[in-house]
């Protein structure tokens, strides 16, 4: 059994309390002992070299990750482990790969190829949540917790069409959800601007949230709008929490687009009022202004009804293209959060078709100017030629809103990182160092111990993690050693696949995933499963 000693180090324990000096001994996969600085005997132990100025913190927890396939195809998971992330929550935005059946899998692999790729050689033979988590347990670097995706449930039971679910269909979705929670999922996610999840009405969502509440999980919705109607969309989710008693975690919570500049205080007042009434509400954000999604997400919901093939057929029909044009340019597409698409804010970040790679890095407006075409014509051309696989950056955020929401007492960190494409959002490689560099060291929006709490202890409590997220004797040895004076995100929008600086060591379950700044390739992570009978995750 490995016995490590980290001597005379500044410890930020994840509780939010000020740091303190001490020794930490790791035995096997656990923190065995904390003691006064310099008092633990180094004899017979491997002493971890802690560079001057470094602090020891719990490993960071990414509350919103899209690594569902990347963990299987690239289990070393360098984008995240190099940031100090030792646990991430996947199955986000209502669309993922378990539970699944053959028909739904065929649709999903195409529909969310822009999120996760569509690797031809990957064995997709799992069908249940338990089987997917077992697959992760065959070897991954960070730990992973999973959310049952509501849109996938609807795809399996109702299909891709835009229509209300019947009572029998809702009952079947509840059964599948309950099984997924018994299998170890920590809750349920929704993507309410993505099809087919967005076709669910509030009553259907409430029926599912009742199941989540029964099993002690939480509901993590991507709401119906972060633009026009954003406050109404948040109010709908808060209403679900009130009606069902389900814990609510608002993913990538923000107020975007011009209609919401400076309106974060209104959103925060909604949260404060609901919490005062006893609602259990938390949220996560990423520390950047642009968002990231697929180009097809901008389509109005009716245009995606029936799935990818039906959508591509509409894009080939002049009458349907005219109708789509009216929605995206004049009426405001529900896929674009109820606002008209501003083509100069839509930057291509990745393509599935190599013939389109020259478009990467350019906005739709720039491509239109180059070709002497209308932006919406470029939009249609990319969607058709790339078979809906194009990913984008959407430059629609506001700094004042980001800072205000970051200070909320229920705030946590989530990267919302898409790891595919030539130029993905830099949050894939930089989210957690950026919190500590920009918003702690440079701007002082959060204190160091406070920020570490946002990224460790607080999300561990939301996930009901047993003995993780804090530096305490008996807790799992998920740890990161970093220098608060030098930790920096180096990933940029022009060159996003760059590792952070200032992180010396990362341990997952007591083993070095990063040692002296170098990835080890050790696959020490595992799935973290909710024990529904005890309502805790381990």
């Amino acid at each position: 059994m490995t016995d490590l000693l980290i001597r005379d180090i500044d410890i930020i324990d994840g509780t939010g309390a000020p740091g303190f000096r001490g020794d930490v001994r790791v035995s096997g996969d656990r923190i065995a002992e904390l003691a006064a600085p310099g008092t633990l005997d180094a004899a017979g132990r491997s002493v971890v070299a802690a560079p001057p100025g470094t602090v020891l913190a719990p490993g960071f927890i990414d509350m919103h990750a899209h690594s569902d396939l990347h963990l299987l195809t690239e289990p070393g998971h360098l984008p995240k482990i190099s940031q100090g992330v030792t646990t991430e929550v996947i199955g986000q935005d209502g669309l993922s790969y378990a539970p699944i059946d053959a028909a739904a899998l065929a649709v999903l692999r195409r529909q969310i190829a822009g999120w996760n790729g569509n690797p031809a050689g990957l064995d997709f033979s799992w069908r249940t949540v338990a089987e997917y988590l077992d697959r992760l347990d065959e070897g991954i670097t960070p730990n992973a917790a999973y959310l049952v995706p509501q849109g996938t449930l609807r795809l399996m039971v109702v299909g891709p069409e835009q229509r209300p679910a019947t009572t029998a269909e809702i009952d079947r979705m509840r059964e599948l959800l309950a099984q997924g929670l018994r299998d170890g999922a920590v809750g349920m996610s929704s993507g309410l601007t993505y099809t087919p999840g967005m076709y669910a009405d509030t009553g259907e969502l409430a029926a599912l949230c009742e199941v989540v509440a029964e099993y002690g999980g939480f509901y993590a919705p991507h709401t119906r709008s972060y633009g026009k109607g954003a406050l109404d969309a948040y109010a709908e989710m808060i209403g679900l929490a009130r009606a069902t008693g389900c814990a609510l975690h608002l993913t990538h919570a923000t107020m975007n687009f011009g209609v919401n500049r400076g309106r974060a205080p209104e959103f925060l007042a909604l949260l404060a009022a609901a919490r005062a009434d006893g609602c259990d509400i938390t949220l996560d954000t990423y520390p950047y202004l642009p968002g990231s999604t697929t180009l097809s997400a901008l389509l109005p919901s009716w245009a995606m009804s029936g799935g990818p093939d039906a959508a591509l057929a509409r894009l080939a029909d002049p009458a349907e293209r005219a109708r789509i044009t009216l929605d995206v340019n004049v009426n405001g597409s529900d896929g674009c959060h109820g606002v008209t698409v501003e083509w100069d804010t839509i930057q291509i970040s990745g393509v599935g078709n190599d013939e389109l790679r020259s478009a990467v890095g350019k906005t739709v407006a720039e491509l239109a100017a180059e070709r002497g075409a209308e932006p919406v014509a470029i939009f249609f051309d990319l969607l058709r030629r790339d078979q809906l696989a194009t990913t984008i950056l959407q430059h629609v955020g506001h700094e004042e809103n980001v800072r205000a929401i970051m200070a909320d007492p229920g705030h946590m960190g989530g990267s919302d990182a898409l790891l595919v494409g030539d130029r993905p959002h830099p949050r894939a490689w930089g989210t957690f160092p950026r919190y500590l560099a920009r918003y702690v060291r440079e701007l002082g929006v959060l204190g160091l111990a406070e920020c570490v709490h946002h990224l460790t202890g607080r999300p561990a409590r939301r996930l009901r993690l047993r003995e993780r997220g804090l530096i305490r004797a008996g807790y799992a040895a998920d740890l990161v050693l970093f220098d608060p004076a030098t930790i920096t995100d180096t990933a940029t929008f022009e060159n996003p696949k760059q590792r952070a600086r200032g992180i010396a060591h990362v341990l997952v379950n007591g083993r070095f995933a990063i040692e002296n700044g170098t990835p080890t390739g050790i696959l020490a992570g595992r799935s973290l499963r909710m024990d529904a009978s005890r309502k805790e995750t381990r």
Side-chain angles (χ1 to χ4, degrees), residues 45-258:
R45 294 171 180 143
S46 176
V47 178
V48 177
T54 54
V55 301
L56 180 69
F60 304 137
I61 298 174
D62 187 344
M63 285 296 293
H64 190 104
H66 287 281
S67 309
D68 308 47
L69 299 185
H70 195 269
L71 284 165
L72 301 176
T73 60
E74 301 287 342
H77 210 36
L78 187 60
K80 293 298 185 63
I81 204 69
S82 65
Q83 297 181 55
V85 172
T86 58
T87 294
E88 55 182 12
V89 186
I90 56 178
Q92 300 285 354
D93 290 338
L95 293 168
S96 189
Y97 307 91
I100 201 71
D101 57 29
L105 179 62
V107 173
L108 274 176
R109 289 184 63 174
R110 296 176 61 197
Q111 181 174 341
I112 55 175
W115 291 5
N116 300 309
N118 188 10
L122 182 62
D123 176 11
F124 284 88
S125 59
W126 69 82
R127 289 294 177 265
T128 67
V129 170
E131 290 168 349
Y132 174 71
L133 297 178
D134 287 345
R135 182 69 63 84
L136 295 179
D137 282 337
E138 293 177 9
I140 53 176
T141 295
N143 305 303
Y146 187 74
L147 294 165
V148 177
Q150 170 258 329
T152 300
L153 297 180
R154 201 173 210 276
L155 181 63
M156 291 173 66
V157 175
V158 181
E161 291 76 29
Q162 184 174 8
R163 67 169 177 84
T166 66
T167 300
E169 288 168 340
I170 291 173
D171 287 344
R172 178 56 181 153
M173 286 188 279
R174 284 168 55 96
E175 291 172 1
L176 289 168
L177 172 58
Q179 185 59 56
L181 294 165
R182 288 192 293 268
D183 284 351
V186 295
M188 179 181 76
S189 74
S190 283
L192 299 177
T193 65
Y194 300 122
T195 61
M198 69 190 301
Y199 300 147
D201 62 21
T202 306
E204 180 179 325
L205 296 175
L208 297 174
C209 284
E210 289 171 355
V211 178
V212 176
E214 177 185 349
Y215 284 89
F218 63 92
Y219 179 40
H222 165 127
T223 67
R224 298 193 194 273
S225 176
Y226 297 93
K228 182 180 179 182
L231 291 176
D232 289 340
Y234 284 124
E236 180 192 12
M237 298 300 103
I238 292 169
L240 284 170
R242 290 182 191 275
T244 66
C246 186
L248 178 65
H249 181 80
L250 298 168
T251 62
H252 46 55
T254 189
M255 297 284 286
N256 283 339
F257 304 91

Side-chain angles (χ1 to χ4, degrees), residues 210-371:
E210 289 171 355
V211 178
V212 176
E214 177 185 349
Y215 284 89
F218 63 92
Y219 179 40
H222 165 127
T223 67
R224 298 193 194 273
S225 176
Y226 297 93
K228 182 180 179 182
L231 291 176
D232 289 340
Y234 284 124
E236 180 192 12
M237 298 300 103
I238 292 169
L240 284 170
R242 290 182 191 275
T244 66
C246 186
L248 178 65
H249 181 80
L250 298 168
T251 62
H252 46 55
T254 189
M255 297 284 286
N256 283 339
F257 304 91
V259 295
N260 288 319
R261 183 182 294 275
R263 299 188 68 189
E266 297 174 61
F267 164 54
L268 298 174
L270 281 178
L271 299 185
R275 289 174 180 141
D277 289 343
C279 294
D280 180 1
I281 303 176
T282 55
L283 57 91
D284 65 65
T285 71
Y286 47 82
Y288 297 85
L289 301 188
S292 179
T293 187
T294 58
L295 188 64
S296 62
L298 305 181
L299 288 166
S301 58
W302 63 263
M304 287 294 294
S305 179
D309 286 333
L312 288 166
R314 292 186 182 100
L315 293 171
D317 183 323
E320 297 284 62
R321 286 202 306 272
R323 187 180 169 199
I324 293 169
T325 300
L326 187 64
D327 275 353
V328 297
N329 279 350
V330 179
N331 296 334
S333 167
D334 54 0
C336 193
H337 305 273
V339 302
T340 56
V341 179
E342 297 174 342
W343 299 109
D344 60 345
T345 70
I346 307 302
Q347 183 180 20
I348 308 304
S349 60
V351 294
N353 180 350
D354 282 345
E355 294 179 0
L356 301 173
R357 293 183 72 174
S358 62
V360 173
K362 298 176 182 178
T363 68
V364 172
E366 288 170 338
L367 292 168
E370 287 178 3
R371 302 177 191 180

